[in-house]
Amino acid sequence: MDNDYRLMNMIDEKARLAGSNKMELLLFSLGSTEVFGINVFKVREVCETLPITRTPNMPAGVEGIISLRGSILPVIDLACCLRMDNDQPKTKLIITEFSSHTQAFLVEDVDRIVRVDWEQVKSPQSIGQSQSAMITALTELAEGKLVSILDVEQILAEVIGESDVPEMENLRSDHPHPVFFADDSNMARKKITEVLDRLHLPHQSATNGREAWEKLKTIASRAEQEHRDIKEIVSLILVDAEMPEMDGYVLTRHIKEDPRFKGIPVVMHSSLSSVANKKLGQQVGVDAYVGKFHPEDLAGMVTSMLPA
């Protein structure tokens, strides 16, 4: 009963955020003056550093393993992954769950949770800063500090390795079925592109929700002007849940409220695979949900959602 009650409270709290274009960030430090953040949706808990057992042949960036409530978890040193050499003691573990993995991130210290508007979350390029493979976005706190939001999926992939995209059966060539997808992660866009290319499906993409919505509105206007069925230009839309400037929940709501996109399925493709997140997607009209970085699952979902 207590677990069910906590789950319902979590769903209600996240429901208040979904559709509001807001997110909550857990702020932490890695031994420098920089402030880093991770979406609270990916955080299971924060605890003091536990005894870490070093084991042979660990990948670079993995400090060792810990035992937490009967589970053995890898401990990833974020400072090492970001090539930040310092001797500051690391006092906290951030236990995270995403992309079907549970792991502990070793950090110097944890600060607090802040709520920010996705509109205030920008890609590094949009504010004139060079793109780091490990930094997916930046935002500014009320006191003027910049927060670097880590692409933890990219970090996890570099530590444990990327899954290969298998050979896939080509879809019928007489039905091109164009796909539009939006994701702010470089690695996620790469994997989606590989899957769609293997399926021989034409595709367009965007790097955040606002860019996606502007491109989709342009597609809809072009279809009207050319008196074409919009499904000839986009037959399926894939959206990430977490994106700068406009998240996937708000983007989906815009799509579903625009009659020009009627009948075009929207699939949420996200590393946030909890019951709560799936329920939030349903509330804004998502037609299906598929976890990130599982190429065969993504291919199966895409092919099942496309028209015959």
Side-chain angles (χ1 to χ4, degrees):
M1 177 65 76
D2 287 343
N3 286 338
D4 291 342
Y5 180 74
R6 285 195 293 268
L7 177 60
M8 290 308 299
N9 279 346
M10 180 176 67
I11 291 173
D12 290 343
E13 175 59 24
K14 291 183 176 182
R16 284 191 284 271
L17 286 179
S20 67
N21 213 34
K22 295 181 183 293
M23 69 180 280
E24 288 185 336
L25 283 175
L26 176 67
L27 305 183
F28 59 91
S29 57
L30 296 175
S32 68
T33 57
E34 295 175 78
V35 180
F36 296 91
I38 181 174
N39 193 332
V40 169
F41 281 16
K42 294 177 178 173
V43 177
R44 193 175 80 185
E45 62 180 290
V46 175
C47 62
E48 300 292 329
T49 302
L50 300 171
I52 299 173
T53 302
R54 298 182 182 275
T55 60
N57 303 316
M58 279 290 186
V62 178
E63 190 73 7
I65 57 176
I66 59 170
S67 175
L68 183 65
R69 299 186 189 87
S71 297
I72 304 300
L73 305 179
V75 177
I76 299 172
D77 186 336
L78 286 183
C80 178
C81 292
L82 294 175
R83 297 172 179 83
M84 296 172 60
D85 296 327
N86 61 69
D87 297 323
Q88 294 295 325
K90 300 176 177 69
T91 65
K92 296 292 192 298
L93 291 173
I94 303 174
I95 312 302
T96 61
E97 291 181 325
F98 58 88
S99 300
S100 303
H101 291 275
T102 303
Q103 53 282 312
F105 288 142
L106 183 63
V107 303
E108 182 206 19
D109 203 4
V110 171
D111 183 4
R112 65 191 191 275
I113 292 174
V114 296
R115 183 168 294 190
V116 299
D117 292 331
W118 272 113
E119 291 180 351
Q120 302 304 315
V121 178
K122 307 295 182 182
S123 65
Q125 301 98 319
S126 69
I127 59 175
Q129 296 204 12
S130 61
Q131 170 72 40
S132 164
M134 304 297 185
I135 305 298
T136 190
L138 296 160
T139 191
E140 186 174 357
L141 301 177
E143 61 267 31
K145 286 185 178 179
L146 281 179
V147 178
S148 297
I149 302 173
L150 295 182
D151 188 343
V152 289
E153 289 93 350
Q154 176 74 43
I155 292 172
L156 188 62
E158 295 210 359
V159 169
I160 68 173
E162 298 181 31
S163 57
D164 293 329
V165 177
E167 292 295 331
M168 298 173 182
E169 183 180 353
N170 186 10
L171 296 182
R172 291 172 54 187
S173 59
D174 55 333
H175 291 282
H177 298 313
V179 175
F180 186 96
F181 66 89
D183 203 298
D184 64 313
S185 167
N186 289 329
M187 190 184 70
R189 291 196 302 274
K190 173 188 170 186
K191 288 300 179 183
I192 295 169
T193 297
E194 289 179 6
V195 169
L196 297 179
D197 285 346
R198 289 285 177 91
L199 294 173
H200 296 271
L201 291 170
H203 49 80
Q204 300 181 59
S205 66
T207 59
N208 63 64
R210 188 167 301 283
E211 179 191 351
W213 181 230
E214 293 303 320
K215 286 186 174 183
L216 287 168
K217 287 191 294 183
T218 298
I219 288 172
S221 297
R222 190 173 87 218
E224 288 181 328
Q225 293 168 1
E226 297 175 359
H227 304 289
R228 295 172 62 188
D229 184 347
I230 192 173
K231 293 179 184 177
E232 296 176 5
I233 308 174
V234 56
S235 298
L236 174 71
I237 301 171
L238 286 172
V239 301
D240 185 19
E242 310 168 272
M243 291 185 288
E245 302 192 36
M246 180 187 293
D247 67 23
Y249 302 110
V250 174
L251 174 59
T252 299
R253 193 183 68 214
H254 284 325
I255 294 168
K256 291 300 183 178
E257 289 177 350
D258 191 325
R260 296 176 297 180
F261 296 99
K262 183 178 180 181
I264 297 177
V266 177
V267 175
M268 185 158 279
H269 180 237
S270 174
S271 61
L272 304 174
S273 56
S274 69
V275 172
N277 292 107
K278 292 178 181 179
K279 185 175 180 66
L280 297 182
Q282 293 171 353
Q283 289 176 353
V284 295
V286 167
D287 296 285
Y289 197 107
V290 62
K292 272 188 181 179
F293 311 119
H294 299 283
E296 291 178 316
D297 292 346
L298 176 59
M301 180 62 72
V302 167
T303 54
S304 70
M305 298 300 291
L306 288 171

